[in-house]
Amino acid sequence: MRAAAFTGIGSTEHVEVESFADPEPSSGEAVLEVEACSINHHDLWILRDGFRVDEEQLPYIAGMDVAGTVSAVGDGVDGVEPGDRVLLCPNQTCGSCRYCRDGPETLCERFDLYHGGLAEYAAVQADRLIRLPDGVDPAEAAAIPVAYMTAFRMLTEAEVGPGDLVFVPGATGGVGVAAVQLADILGARTIGTSTSREKLDRLETLGADHVVESGDPDELREAVLEIGRVDVTINHLSGPYSEVGVNVLRRGGRMAVCGQTAGPTSTFTMGDLFLNHKRIIGSTMGTQLDLERLVDLVKDGRLEPVVHERYPLEDADRAFADMDDRNTVGKLVVEP
């Protein structure tokens, strides 16, 4: 099979299409003929910085968000069969720790994520596959798992409901777009930000109620407070945006945090935090049940995952370059 592999660490020029042996399913596994795989900043961090990947693991096939057709199954698999159209939940859990027993599964002590979808075929855990309803496009399905599961779980943990005002700094990436769309479905109002007027125009068509064109934390704080104190901040940026996210909360407000794109550390004023009963909630990915619910939303026509562009496998390097340039709105999908 062919795969878009990382042959080095540091830049998009190290994304190259190479030949690999076709995978065979082990016990409990299924092999998918991959029809679509979206890319995420997690993949980009591996490519740029070698995040959790050593040199001896190169060439490395990334890609977590996989949609395709089952081509073969291993022993002990009875939930899917060859010919089924499916979407992979990329969660990998031990199934035996106290957190797996009590849930949610994202608390698993050995929680990890699948990698290997940027290829013509992929061997995956069969019990992590969700059947795709007729009419659901594979590329749109592949846009769902990491971004939409993450946003859905953050909104759930932060108890977002009808009428709430939700602040989404950096709202034009995968998680940001998903948060705006899903908050709209929940009946909440949103404030989305970007440094690009063009991106904000697109965000408004996706359901954003207010948009702010700025990347400056102080400007964002002032602009949001002019709109009104918010019930919830959905924060995938961290760095200096975490302080802003807490500052603009109403008394008893919540900030859910899922990433650190803008920096690994943040500063807070403790008095504001405890005197105003504000809460900061850490959140990673979502559950397989969350993903099933999201697929149902797509099937019912209530959610349309945003795919910015589709790329053939040979152009996977361009997909990563486009993500690195930050000139996109929504997901970038490779179609092997």
Side-chain angles (χ1 to χ4, degrees):
M1 70 172 187
R2 298 181 309 142
F6 299 163
T7 58
I9 300 299
S11 69
T12 58
E13 66 184 25
H14 295 304
V15 182
E16 301 182 53
V17 175
E18 296 197 345
S19 294
F20 295 83
D22 290 349
E24 296 289 339
S26 299
S27 178
E29 289 188 336
V31 171
L32 305 187
E33 182 176 357
V34 179
E35 296 178 48
C37 179
S38 72
I39 63 173
N40 295 278
H41 274 95
H42 184 102
D43 303 309
L44 185 61
W45 292 333
I46 295 173
L47 175 62
R48 271 197 321 215
D49 307 319
F51 177 67
R52 298 178 65 179
V53 171
D54 298 325
E55 288 283 343
E56 53 267 26
Q57 293 176 265
L58 302 177
Y60 184 83
I61 305 173
M64 299 179 283
D65 293 342
V66 186
T69 301
V70 176
S71 63
V73 297
D75 294 338
V77 173
D78 56 15
V80 294
E81 59 186 23
D84 287 346
R85 299 175 65 249
V86 292
L87 175 66
L88 175 69
C89 175
N91 293 353
Q92 294 185 329
T93 56
C94 72
S96 59
C97 71
R98 58 176 292 192
Y99 302 107
C100 284
R101 294 195 304 270
D102 298 339
E105 65 179 358
T106 49
L107 289 175
C108 174
E109 293 173 347
R110 294 186 285 280
F111 185 83
D112 205 347
L113 293 168
Y114 169 85
H115 297 86
L118 290 171
E120 292 177 322
Y121 292 92
V124 303
Q125 291 178 244
D127 60 3
R128 286 296 183 182
L129 294 173
I130 297 170
R131 291 176 183 272
L132 283 182
D134 293 340
V136 175
D137 176 61
E140 290 189 357
I144 301 173
V146 170
Y148 285 82
M149 283 173 69
T150 297
F152 185 82
R153 175 53 49 172
M154 293 173 79
L155 292 165
T156 301
E157 295 286 352
E159 302 172 358
V160 171
D164 283 348
L165 183 59
V166 179
F167 173 43
V168 188
T172 54
V175 172
V177 167
V180 167
Q181 289 182 283
L182 293 170
D184 187 52
I185 291 172
L186 293 170
R189 299 164 296 136
T190 52
I191 304 170
T193 79
S194 172
T195 57
S196 165
R197 182 67 247 178
E198 183 179 359
K199 288 184 179 182
L200 291 175
D201 290 343
R202 175 70 173 122
L203 196 65
E204 287 181 308
T205 70
L206 298 172
D209 297 278
H210 307 275
V211 294
V212 179
E213 185 181 353
S214 178
D216 179 83
D218 292 329
E219 291 180 1
L220 293 182
R221 180 186 295 105
E222 182 178 343
V224 171
L225 290 176
E226 286 181 3
I227 297 167
R229 288 199 172 272
V230 306
D231 299 281
V232 170
T233 295
I234 298 296
N235 178 12
H236 67 93
L237 297 176
S238 292
Y241 299 97
S242 297
E243 183 178 11
V244 178
V246 171
N247 288 166
V248 300
L249 292 174
R250 64 162 176 80
R251 288 177 62 83
R254 292 85 66 197
M255 179 171 75
V257 184
C258 75
Q260 54 182 17
T261 307
T265 59
S266 301
T267 302
F268 305 101
T269 302
M270 292 298 108
D272 176 39
L273 193 66
F274 65 78
L275 290 173
N276 290 306
H277 301 266
K278 298 177 179 180
R279 285 184 283 155
I280 300 174
I281 305 161
S283 186
T284 298
M285 287 291 289
T287 68
Q288 188 157 333
L289 180 58
D290 291 337
L291 184 55
E292 291 173 359
R293 289 169 173 163
L294 290 165
V295 170
D296 284 341
L297 288 175
V298 177
K299 178 190 69 176
D300 295 340
R302 299 182 62 197
L303 173 65
E304 184 177 346
V306 178
V307 176
H308 181 88
E309 189 168 346
R310 306 173 187 223
Y311 306 79
L313 191 66
E314 292 78 9
D315 289 346
D317 58 340
R318 182 166 63 87
F320 279 101
D322 288 347
M323 173 173 279
D324 204 22
D325 288 342
R326 300 181 182 274
N327 290 324
T328 61
V329 176
K331 298 291 292 181
L332 309 178
V333 179
V334 175
E335 298 178 311

